[in-house]
């Protein structure tokens, strides 16, 4: 179901659309909408166009739209970046998002903040989200996890050093670096006290970091199997009573 509200009417409010529970596409752009409570029952929406209105706050109005894939909110009056992004966090299917020409978009950390807290978004403000931007956002808003990822040296090393920050981090929560055990060098005499201290030290302050490191550094394992019913025995080979069939080998690799 698709609905389109004409922009020539300059609508300031819209009655509840609860009679359209299967509504998927909705255009309300180019009006003067200030309130979105009329969407409270429209859980099936996948595309919503609210650009060019007079919205100042969307808190409590959109978080139930878990199926939303495209959301246009540009050219409104949204000025609270944290509250706006928090409202959109539950939209795990959201891929295209426009927030430009809102006061919140002038925050110096605006783009990286949105990229970090809304990881499903692929196209932000008509510009593709790059892997470098995702890495920069991770370093800025979760340096602890970025440090763990870098310390295990899995895959390619990120370009941005841990001491480098991009913009300010006014929205980031304070995090602690995981405490890694020191590496013992076995040259000369081994100091017994140093060894005991190393064994007693807790490797990570957060158990999740330990799980991550173990999962990423686990040895590669490989299992192969064939259908032995198709393999001729030694006696069958000698008597040539069973035709050889090409064997299909199934190989599974995992960490």
């Amino acid at each position: 179901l698709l609905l389109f509200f004409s922009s020539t009417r300059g609508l300031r409010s819209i009655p509840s659309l609860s009679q359209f529970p299967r509504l998927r596409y909705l255009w309300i752009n180019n009006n003067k909408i200030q309130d979105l409570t009329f969407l409270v029952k429209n859980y099936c929406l996948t595309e919503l166009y609210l650009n060019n209105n007079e919205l100042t706050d969307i808190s409590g109005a959109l978080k139930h739209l878990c199926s939303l894939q495209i959301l246009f909110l540009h050219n409104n009056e949204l000025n609270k970046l944290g509250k706006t992004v928090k409202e959109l966090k539950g939209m795990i299917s959201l891929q295209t998002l426009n927030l430009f020409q809102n006061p919140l978009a002038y925050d110096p950390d605006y783009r990286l903040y949105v990229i970090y807290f809304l990881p499903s978004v692929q196209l932000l403000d008509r510009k593709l989200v790059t892997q470098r931007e995702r890495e920069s956002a991770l370093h800025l808003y979760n340096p602890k996890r970025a440090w763990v990822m870098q310390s295990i040296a899995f895959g390619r090393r990120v370009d941005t050093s841990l001491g480098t920050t991009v913009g300010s981090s006014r929205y980031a929560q304070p995090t602690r670096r995981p405490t890694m055990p020191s590496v013992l060098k076995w040259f000369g005499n081994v100091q017994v006290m140093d060894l005991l201290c190393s064994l007693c030290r807790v490797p990570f302050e957060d158990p999740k970091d330990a799980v991550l490191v173990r999962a990423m550094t686990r040895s590669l394992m490989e299992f192969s199997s064939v259908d032995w019913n198709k393999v001729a025995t030694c006696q069958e080979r000698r008597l040539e009573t069973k035709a050889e069939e090409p064997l299909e080998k199934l190989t599974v690799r995992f960490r």
Side-chain angles (χ1 to χ4, degrees):
L1 180 61
L2 180 151
L3 283 180
F4 179 82
F5 289 84
S6 174
S7 60
T8 58
R9 297 185 179 182
L11 300 175
R12 292 187 176 275
S13 63
I14 294 177
S16 174
L17 300 178
S18 57
Q19 66 269 33
F20 306 110
R22 297 183 180 276
L23 180 64
R24 297 188 61 187
Y25 310 98
L26 179 60
W27 276 263
I28 320 179
N29 52 302
N30 300 309
N31 281 288
K32 297 182 180 181
I33 303 297
Q34 299 179 349
D35 182 33
L36 299 177
T37 54
F38 57 89
L39 295 173
V40 67
K41 298 293 183 180
N42 302 107
Y43 300 99
C44 296
L45 275 171
T46 58
E47 296 185 16
L48 180 57
Y49 301 88
L50 294 168
N51 49 294
N52 301 300
N53 276 287
E54 296 180 359
L55 295 170
T56 58
D57 189 7
I58 60 172
S59 299
L62 301 178
K63 60 183 178 182
H64 61 289
L65 304 179
C66 299
S67 300
L68 205 61
Q69 299 177 10
I70 298 177
L71 177 60
F72 283 10
L73 283 168
H74 56 278
N75 197 18
N76 276 280
E77 299 298 329
L78 301 173
N79 53 22
K80 297 181 179 179
L81 180 58
K83 291 183 64 176
T84 300
V85 171
K86 182 179 180 181
E87 183 68 17
L88 307 180
K89 276 187 178 180
M91 299 180 183
I92 57 177
S93 300
L94 187 61
Q95 298 180 7
T96 301
L97 174 64
N98 280 354
L99 287 171
F100 62 93
Q101 291 183 350
N102 279 285
L104 57 79
Y106 295 101
D107 188 283
D109 296 331
Y110 153 72
R111 185 170 176 87
L112 292 182
Y113 185 82
V114 175
I115 289 173
Y116 177 76
F117 288 102
L118 302 178
S120 64
V121 173
Q122 305 295 324
L123 188 66
L124 176 60
D125 294 344
R126 301 181 294 189
K127 181 180 178 183
L128 285 173
V129 177
T130 65
Q131 182 61 30
R132 182 179 292 274
E133 286 179 319
R134 294 193 187 280
E135 292 172 356
S136 298
L138 180 64
H139 278 277
L140 180 60
Y141 293 106
N142 197 342
K144 176 181 178 181
R145 179 52 55 91
W147 186 79
V148 172
M149 293 288 289
Q150 185 172 343
S151 67
I152 61 179
F154 180 79
R156 71 180 184 85
R157 198 176 185 88
V158 294
D159 297 330
T160 308
S161 62
L162 289 173
T164 304
T165 57
V166 182
S168 62
S169 56
R170 72 183 68 178
Y171 300 102
Q173 297 296 326
T175 57
R176 298 177 298 173
R177 273 191 173 185
T179 304
M180 296 289 290
S182 60
V183 180
L184 296 177
K185 295 183 179 179
W186 295 81
F187 298 106
N189 296 327
V190 178
Q191 299 294 328
V192 179
M193 292 302 297
D194 291 344
L195 177 60
L196 292 176
C197 291
S198 177
L199 293 175
C200 296
R201 185 178 301 153
V202 179
F204 297 95
E205 295 179 0
D206 190 345
K208 293 182 180 179
D209 295 328
V211 174
L212 175 65
V213 171
R214 181 167 182 175
M216 301 297 278
T217 57
R218 189 174 297 158
S219 300
L220 182 66
M221 303 182 68
E222 176 178 307
F223 292 90
S224 301
S225 63
V226 297
D227 185 358
W228 291 101
N229 292 325
K230 296 181 179 180
V231 179
T233 63
C234 294
Q235 184 177 4
E236 289 171 339
R237 287 198 185 100
R238 286 196 301 267
L239 300 176
E240 297 183 353
T241 58
K242 185 173 183 179
E244 288 284 349
E245 298 182 20
L247 296 179
E248 296 182 0
K249 181 180 178 182
L250 176 63
T251 301
V252 179
R253 294 182 180 181
F254 61 91
R255 290 189 181 274

